[in-house]
Amino acid sequence: MSSALPDDDAMSPAEAYAASRLRAKQQATALYGFQELYDFPLDPFQLEACEALEAGSGVLVAAPTGSGKTIVGEFAVHLALASGRKCFYTTPIKALSNQKYADLVKRYGAAKVGLLTGDNTVNGDAPIVIMTTEVLRNMLYAGSQTLNGLGYVVMDEVHYLADRFRGAVWEEVIIHLPESVTLVSLSATVSNAEEFGDWLDTVRGGTKVIVSEHRPVPLWQHVMAGNRMYDLFSNPDTDGRPRSGPRSPAKSVNPELVRLARSEIDRNPRQQRGRGRSMPTGRPGRVWTPSRVDVIERLEAEGLLPAITFIFSRAGCEAAVQQCLHSGLRLNTDAERAQVRALVEERCAAIPDEDLHVLGYFEWLDALERGVAAHHAGMLPRFKEVVEELFLHGLVKAVFATETLALGINMPARSVVMEKLVKWNGEMHADITPGEYTQLTGRAGRRGIDIEGHAVVLWQRGLDPEALAGLAGTRTYPLKSSFKPSYNMAVNLVSQFGRHRSRELLETSFAQFQADRSVVGISKQVQRNEEGLEGYREAMTCHLGDFDAYMNLRRTLKDRENELSREGSGQRRAAAIDSIEALKPGDIIHVPTGKFAGLALVLDPGLPPVSRSPRTQRHPDYQDGPRPVVLTAERQVKRLAMIDFPHPVAAVDRMKIPKSFNPRSPQSRRDLASALRTKAGHVEPEHFRRGRAAAADDPEITRLRAELRAHPCHGCNEREDHARWSERYHRLHRDTDLLERRMRSRTHTIARTFDRVCGLLTDLGYLRGDEVTPDGRRLGRLYGELDLLASECIREGVWKDLAAAELAACASALVYESRQADDASTPRVPEGNAKEALGRMVRIWGHLDALEEQHRISTAEGVGQREPDLGFAWAAYRWALGHNLDQVLRDADMPAGDFVRWTKQLIDVLGQIQDAAGEDAQLRTTARKAVDGLRRGIIAYSSVS
């Protein structure tokens, strides 16, 4: 337990009796028996969390990757079984669910453990059920009987609620779980764990926050440059962290690395071409980026394998494996090779021979036998599972992976290699964040196996060691809510609680909690500003009269003068534009100002074809006015802008431009410039005289100046001092008004969005006040980004007469999203009924998009319906018709893993359509047939049984 007891022989009888009583009390706890299941003592943070759980409190455990926080979740399972209640263990991804299912079956037996994901339903009524978070959310909305007897819910990787696409599901579950359920939240180390814990305490009741930043296995940071491995920090502590602390890790950077970076900056950039491997003279360069094979061989020599190399590209992962194969790299012994082949053949026995070639099985097996593998979302799920299993058994020693591997899968290594610190985030190449760096490098160091872990960053040109130290030294990142109400959420909430109560529930979301917390800070600033305003008001008080009224007159006068000045500038600009539009090729002018001021010959007035139309009808490119091309007296051909013409110009003379004139020819420019000087060099420029200022004759200005002079404060000796205080007062007043507007915009933000969503649903007939219509109840059974579009398609009968494969093609548009959002190619779609139905779907989406704009609902804010993507329709159609895998994948130009993932999501949405079809027996039957047509071959055998 959490405290050790002294030896009975060293104690007095009274002490021995007290110790005996305490020991008996400890042995009577569930935690005592739970600890017996492990062959290692629990860490202090694990004991603290388990004791809180047994005492009846919910817990939030925030700890580094690999620290063993899942033991707290396993204790919740232990408590549930001991008390005859159920425990649901939720994970963000199916791979994690499958892995946790296997772990718990091993401990408690298959009869007591179930699995519910989009792919699998295994023993769903068991006392322990592992599921994805979406499955639990759907159960809560459906009022599933499976929830009866639920005592504990473990939310693994709860920091996933920050995910912009799926994060809202975590908050929905936390808000809607029955009060009797004890919540166990397991998170990566986040900097605002206390804030998150305060919110959990608010919505769930007593919640204890346990934060541990200690890594059980120290993590050492390195940079590999050329053939050397440098320590990142010059004097790290026993955990591998900078001794200067997380606030200033850059101060602890290894000076050798700093010198290396500076010397690279000082070198001639041409010396760094070709990855810096050699100087132009042939001498070896001082530093270079080691190749992938070099890195693995170096790690093997240093005893730092197994290693995971993170490459932020699927193609890069596959290329890395090929480079290892071509180099002849072998990391496994003959005995290990035989073990690999036996395990792979056993795990892949269900895959038909004809599919093995299509899936690249034999090349994949060759790499595995050598101890090398890739791991990314484009791989067949079965292949990924085999890689994970071999890696855990030490039979794969080098894995090249994308960042998806870091999402909680139990696949720790001795070393983690980061090729680059930049990745594509779907929109741009961006630097990885401290949180991402921590998550990725957290895989290094296997508890119970390694005494230390190693994170290795490869040298790249332009690498800043101090910036890297900032990444490595910042252990935490803030957890920010991504919660937004969806259409499905709105109808389900209104159905259960009505509009008013639903609004109140949404106000309890973490998103609103964080918004309100930020409002507290703004509110305090407003209070400070108001105190400052009071002081300024006192300082600007004048004994002769109302100085505020006097300053209002001064500001009104200044505003009027500025207005007239702008009008004058606008009139002068308009006159200048008119004068330039009147010019013709051959006119000689004097350019008034600018770099090319002086005599010039107009070659082209710079007018678009529509320039003779009213100015309001001009081409968008002409908004800045004409841009004449001129030849200066100094022989330069230049295109001028309106900034060179602050006032109108007129032609002082004309001359003929020879037809043979070529502006690109120096000789041609020289001859024409000489002729220009001869023709008009003696003509003096006409000096522009500005007219009388409009302010001089403006009656409003005259009146204001008279009132100003007549005001009592005008004669005050301290007038300008008062004026300075008044200006400060009004600036601060303006800032305070802005802060108050920000406060108003941040409070009730979630409820306002909910009101807009309900307004649109009311217009479409899904809601009628607090009543959910039959159409609304159908929408409540459809989950996903395009829930409303799917509901409208069912209501409009878009899919009514489709065949099963055609329905699969249409439903694919509801789930599929191209990896390249800007892909301009037109996707291939099936002809006939399917093509017509897809066209109707896009038109319905256009109508919904217009409605969303009308109700101020924006997809940019995470609410609303994105455009359906037809890029998977042809592949879904062909697969549902029974075509072979080779044909479908070749036509789709898609990796097998992506094809499996999208098809499984399609099967899931077809199941929802089948459930939502209601009385439409034909659509229900078609959806079921479509599911049957899709769930075959690679889709059927890719699920974990």
Side-chain angles (χ1 to χ4, degrees), residues 125-346:
D125 292 322
I128 309 165
V129 185
I130 294 86
M131 61 185 69
T132 50
T133 316
E134 280 86 352
V135 170
L136 179 54
R137 186 272 312 272
N138 298 354
M139 277 186 185
L140 288 166
Y141 281 148
S144 171
Q145 295 300 309
T146 311
L147 295 166
N148 293 339
L150 181 62
Y152 295 87
V153 166
V154 180
M155 301 195 79
D156 203 355
E157 309 284 339
V158 74
H159 54 271
Y160 227 86
L161 66 76
D163 183 84
R164 56 183 290 207
F165 299 111
R166 298 173 56 211
V169 177
W170 275 253
E171 290 191 49
E172 287 180 81
V173 168
I174 292 169
I175 291 170
H176 298 310
L177 274 175
E179 290 182 15
S180 59
V181 175
T182 301
L183 185 66
V184 180
S185 305
L186 308 179
S187 170
T189 311
V190 291
S191 53
N192 59 336
E194 286 76 13
E195 179 189 40
F196 186 46
D198 287 347
W199 174 68
L200 287 172
D201 195 68
T202 302
V203 295
R204 301 293 317 161
T207 300
K208 184 160 187 177
V209 179
I210 294 102
V211 178
S212 173
E213 294 190 24
H214 173 71
R215 277 183 55 95
V217 179
L219 178 64
W220 300 94
Q221 308 278 346
H222 312 280
V223 174
M224 190 181 288
N227 55 12
R228 280 196 62 186
M229 188 124 79
Y230 297 85
D231 289 335
L232 175 59
F233 297 116
S234 57
N235 184 27
D237 62 18
T238 54
D239 274 350
R241 303 187 189 197
R243 287 192 183 275
S244 60
R247 294 194 178 186
S248 54
K251 293 180 181 177
S252 297
V253 176
N254 184 346
E256 278 191 276
L257 269 179
V258 176
R259 284 194 295 271
L260 187 64
R262 286 176 182 163
S263 69
E264 285 297 294
I265 293 171
D266 294 340
R267 289 171 61 198
N268 188 318
R270 286 179 297 178
Q271 293 176 344
Q272 298 187 38
R273 288 180 181 170
R275 293 175 60 181
R277 287 188 174 273
S278 61
M279 309 259 291
T281 58
R283 291 178 295 161
R286 183 175 175 186
V287 68
W288 64 88
T289 304
S291 73
R292 289 159 175 165
V293 175
D294 291 342
V295 171
I296 300 302
E297 289 178 338
R298 176 67 187 273
L299 293 177
E300 184 185 27
E302 298 272 352
L304 298 181
L305 294 180
I308 299 170
T309 301
F310 284 109
I311 303 172
F312 301 121
S313 152
R314 298 177 183 184
C317 293
E318 295 293 346
V321 172
Q322 290 303 313
Q323 288 159 15
C324 291
L325 293 179
H326 293 155
S327 72
L329 182 70
R330 293 181 185 275
L331 303 174
N332 280 345
T333 64
D334 288 343
E336 288 172 329
R337 286 168 62 87
Q339 285 181 265
V340 169
R341 178 173 284 273
L343 190 145
V344 171
E345 289 178 347
E346 179 188 341

Side-chain angles (χ1 to χ4, degrees), residues 832-854:
N833 291 339
K835 186 173 185 177
E836 183 182 340
L838 285 166
R840 288 183 66 188
M841 287 175 66
V842 173
R843 287 192 293 276
I844 289 172
W845 170 81
H847 172 64
L848 293 177
D849 189 53
L851 271 177
E852 287 176 340
E853 187 174 347
Q854 181 183 326

Side-chain angles (χ1 to χ4, degrees), residues 13 79 186 291 295 313 519 562 627 649 826:
L79 285 175
L186 308 179
S291 73
V295 171
S313 152
V519 165
N562 289 341
R627 300 198 60 195
V649 293
T826 303

